Amino acid sequence: MAKTYVGIDFGACNIKTVAYNGKKIRKIKLNKHQTDGEEIPNIIYYDKNNEIKVGKAARDGTDYKNRITYIKRKLEQESWSKYIENIGRDITAQEVATDIFKWLKKTISNILSENDFKAVITMPVCFSEVQKNRIYKAATDAKINVEAVVTEPFAALFSIEELFDEAEDDEQIVLIFDFGGSTLDLSLLRVENDGDGEICITELASGGMHYGGINIDEDIYHEIFESKYAKEIAAIKAVDKDIAEEKLIGFVRGLKETIFGDEEEKADNIYYSEQGKSYIFELTYGEIISVFEKTKIKQRIIDLLDNLLETTDEVEKEDITIVRPFGGTSKIDYFREIIGEYIDDTDIFDNDDCDMDEAYTGIAAGAARYLYFKKEEEDTVEIHNIIPFNIGIEENGKFVKYINRNERYGFETLYRPLKITDLIKNNYMLNIYQTFDDLIETDIDADGIVFMGSVQLDKKLYTAQDAVLFKMKMAEDGRLSIRFFEQRLENGENEIVLVESKQLKIGG
């Protein structure tokens, strides 16, 4: 039987899965209802019988106290839990994610008639290594055979099948624009195809921001609905209490999707409170655009694209040959128009020629194809990834950067000194941090500085009086190696001697 490789796009709003056997892409229909799409809402519900429902069945219930949405966002938090009345205890984000992956494992296995399929899970560019590790652990705890966790725009590249056509002998510079429910992720990649089956993929730069469809829904609610329907919302909050805002934002999302999905100037619907009282709410296209203008989202996207190109000296904007949008929020033509204006060449990007239905599942499809190439075609497909974040250590309450964002995986720093006085003060513990911001030195508690983990040195091994030297190296599998050295007198000469090597346990 042919091996099956599965891509899992574990989105903030929806989950998409695709299988690939080396010849054919198969969208895995997670919904039971034939009229629904392949994807399911990333929502879980815990019922009184200690059973769970995932997806549409969880979304359609009105029991908000026992259901959880946007778990991907909760995994970003240092700690998160919620009391679930039906099971009588608090449940953590890690436990919720594991329960969802258990459901996915069972459902995918039943559909494919294969229990031990190999999988790749995708994540945003701007997820920290701790968050990546949490998703990986949730999936492996659910007994999914996870071969890799890769960034969403990198996975998306592998869904562009013409790049892998053996008949093509060319070089392409590809810009991936992935705007989903929780993040906007960008990647710039070079694909070199010699026409004889040898392909070299080099990731040149990546970037992103924590802003997506969820934030747009919240902005519309706060900027438009709260003032437009102040009296009605006050009445709803008096009845629906703590769940009122979540319900109303979900209602706003439905109106937004109707406007952009059906290309309407306005949309209205009936909202029912918990006591059954009805309210008619309306949202217009113009109101949504006014929110986009107020939040300056267009300029933020342009700045992000400019920054992406500035972080690599290998290509310019004029060198880009292919642009592809992905993600649910990219379905909104307002954002594709921004790409069109920025590229300003319809031969490279034509908004009217985008197949957004295929692009919606493209990340999962690309993840499955990536795993196939990695496992079956590793001799012909060469891949060079980059580190999407800066890495540094804590020195006297400051974050000090040592590895720059967009360095190649496998990059190792030069020798760097650590003062013995600082090591003694920290009991020979070294704290490692990362950030997506281009900071050199800032307070360790500043926004965007994320703790990766600590390494404990064995102080009995060190004899230096002034400083210890160290080197950092980030491996492609996500392991951060740190080697520590001393200058010692060996055979009558001062030599740099390796004292000990450490590997960072991410998050611990």
Side-chain angles (χ1 to χ4, degrees):
M1 184 172 64
K3 293 179 181 177
T4 303
Y5 301 104
V6 174
I8 301 175
D9 180 3
F10 193 74
C13 297
N14 294 288
I15 302 171
K16 286 84 72 177
T17 55
V18 169
Y20 185 62
N21 62 5
K23 296 180 180 179
K24 185 178 179 182
I25 283 287
R26 176 185 177 185
K27 296 178 185 178
I28 301 174
K29 188 172 177 59
L30 299 173
N31 281 310
K32 292 182 179 179
H33 303 287
Q34 292 301 314
T35 55
D36 295 327
E38 284 81 11
E39 78 283 354
I40 56 166
N42 198 342
I43 301 174
I44 188 169
Y45 173 77
Y46 294 86
D47 71 14
K48 292 181 180 179
N49 298 319
N50 205 27
E51 295 181 0
I52 64 171
K53 297 177 181 177
V54 176
K56 190 173 184 296
R59 184 193 64 192
D60 290 348
T62 59
D63 182 4
Y64 280 72
K65 292 181 180 179
N66 293 293
R67 82 178 192 185
I68 296 169
T69 61
Y70 306 145
I71 192 59
K72 193 173 177 181
R73 277 282 173 97
K74 274 87 174 174
L75 286 167
E76 297 173 10
Q77 300 176 27
E78 185 174 345
S79 61
W80 179 92
S81 64
K82 177 180 178 178
Y83 181 77
I84 301 297
E85 190 175 273
N86 281 346
I87 62 175
R89 65 177 179 88
D90 283 330
I91 190 165
T92 67
Q94 191 76 44
E95 290 174 313
V96 173
T98 300
D99 286 340
I100 294 173
F101 276 114
K102 284 179 179 177
W103 183 93
L104 280 172
K105 162 77 171 179
K106 181 179 179 181
T107 303
I108 294 170
S109 295
N110 289 339
I111 293 171
L112 296 180
S113 299
E114 184 177 341
N115 188 55
D116 195 32
F117 57 86
K118 298 181 184 298
V120 167
I121 299 172
T122 64
M123 66 166 194
V125 166
C126 48
F127 253 34
S128 71
E129 286 297 283
V130 173
Q131 293 159 345
K132 172 182 174 179
N133 198 50
R134 287 172 177 172
I135 286 182
Y136 175 81
K137 186 177 187 304
T140 53
D141 284 351
K143 309 302 182 187
I144 294 176
N145 186 357
V146 181
E147 293 285 334
V149 179
V150 301
T151 65
E152 290 163 1
F154 178 75
L157 176 82
F158 289 83
S159 71
I160 308 174
E161 296 188 27
E162 61 264 34
L163 291 174
F164 302 90
D165 188 339
E166 292 185 7
E168 294 293 331
D169 179 7
D170 61 8
E171 175 181 301
Q172 302 281 1
I173 304 298
V174 186
L175 170 63
I176 303 294
F177 182 95
D178 172 32
F179 206 177
S182 64
T183 58
L184 170 58
D185 297 302
L186 304 172
S187 273
L188 194 62
L189 306 105
R190 177 190 290 117
V191 181
E192 298 165 283
N193 190 335
D194 69 357
D196 293 320
E198 299 288 335
I199 299 172
C200 180
I201 298 168
T202 304
E203 196 171 10
L204 302 172
S206 66
M209 65 176 176
H210 277 85
Y211 188 91
I214 295 170
N215 305 94
I216 291 171
D217 301 337
E218 292 170 350
D219 287 343
I220 294 170
Y221 170 73
H222 292 301
E223 297 294 338
I224 303 297
F225 262 52
E226 282 189 326
S227 57
K228 184 178 179 180
Y229 295 111
K231 183 178 178 180
E232 292 86 344
I233 289 174
I236 290 167
K237 285 187 173 182
V239 174
D240 292 353
K241 307 292 184 185
D242 295 339
I243 64 173
E245 190 161 302
E246 180 183 348
K247 287 179 63 178
L248 285 163
I249 291 173
F251 187 84
V252 165
R253 180 175 63 253
L255 295 178
K256 179 199 73 176
E257 290 174 351
T258 298
I259 288 172
F260 289 114
D262 298 340
E263 298 183 356
E264 299 286 348
E265 286 298 316
K266 63 181 180 180
D268 58 53
N269 206 344
I270 302 174
Y271 176 97
Y272 292 97
S273 72
E274 290 294 285
Q275 291 184 347
K277 187 172 181 180
S278 62
Y279 302 84
I280 297 178
F281 292 133
E282 180 186 86
L283 181 66
T284 70
Y285 177 87
E287 288 170 333
I288 297 175
I289 298 302
S290 73
V291 172
F292 291 161
E293 292 172 349
K294 187 167 186 177
T295 57
K296 296 182 171 62
I297 185 61
K298 179 177 180 178
Q299 189 58 50
R300 289 158 64 190
I301 290 172
I302 291 170
D303 291 343
L304 199 62
L305 288 163
D306 284 341
N307 182 258
L308 183 77
L309 287 158
E310 288 168 4
T311 55
T312 178
D313 56 5
E314 297 190 42
V315 297
E316 304 288 340
K317 180 165 68 171
E318 294 74 20
D319 298 319
I320 296 172
T321 57
I322 296 175
V323 180
R324 290 293 173 86
F326 294 87
T329 305
S330 288
K331 288 185 173 183
I332 298 175
D333 58 1
Y334 177 88
F335 298 113
R336 299 199 306 277
E337 287 170 3
I338 294 173
I339 304 172
E341 290 178 22
Y342 188 82
I343 297 300
D344 195 24
D345 187 337
T346 55
D347 289 335
I348 298 172
F349 178 77
D350 186 349
N351 182 22
D352 296 329
D353 196 33
C354 292
D355 185 345
M356 292 310 300
D357 289 332
E358 286 300 313
Y360 187 54
T361 55
I363 291 169
R369 282 171 54 86
Y370 161 79
L371 186 52
Y372 166 79
F373 284 118
K374 192 76 173 173
K375 288 292 183 181
E376 307 294 334
E377 302 286 344
E378 59 181 338
D379 294 333
T380 58
V381 179
E382 184 180 346
I383 300 171
H384 301 283
N385 295 98
I386 57 167
I387 306 166
F389 43 78
N390 303 298
I391 303 173
I393 67 173
E394 178 185 2
E395 294 184 15
N396 296 317
K398 297 286 187 180
F399 168 82
V400 180
K401 180 170 65 175
Y402 286 102
I403 296 180
N404 289 319
R405 182 166 67 93
N406 291 338
E407 291 282 6
R408 297 274 188 271
Y409 277 103
F411 169 83
E412 187 172 40
T413 65
L414 301 173
Y415 290 109
R416 302 293 188 181
L418 285 172
K419 292 181 180 179
I420 291 293
T421 52
D422 290 339
L423 282 173
I424 292 172
K425 183 171 62 177
N426 295 320
N427 198 26
Y428 281 78
M429 180 80 77
L430 192 66
N431 295 323
I432 317 297
Y433 294 82
Q434 68 175 78
T435 179
F436 293 94
D437 298 325
D438 291 320
L439 306 169
I440 298 175
E441 185 173 328
T442 190
D443 290 340
I444 205 69
D445 296 326
D447 289 341
I449 306 296
V450 179
F451 176 72
M452 290 181 73
S454 301
V455 293
Q456 179 66 61
L457 281 66
D458 185 351
K459 62 182 179 182
K460 299 190 296 293
L461 300 177
Y462 296 88
T463 60
Q465 301 298 310
D466 299 320
V468 168
L469 302 175
F470 75 97
K471 285 186 172 185
M472 280 185 179
K473 183 178 182 179
M474 192 70 179
E476 195 157 351
D477 60 6
R479 291 177 298 166
L480 180 64
S481 300
I482 310 175
R483 296 190 293 158
F484 297 89
F485 305 82
E486 281 188 343
Q487 282 192 327
R488 294 178 180 173
L489 190 64
E490 298 279 338
N491 301 318
E493 296 183 6
N494 279 320
E495 294 185 5
I496 296 176
V497 178
L498 175 66
V499 179
E500 60 179 328
S501 297
K502 296 286 185 178
Q503 279 196 346
L504 178 66
K505 181 183 178 183
I506 303 297

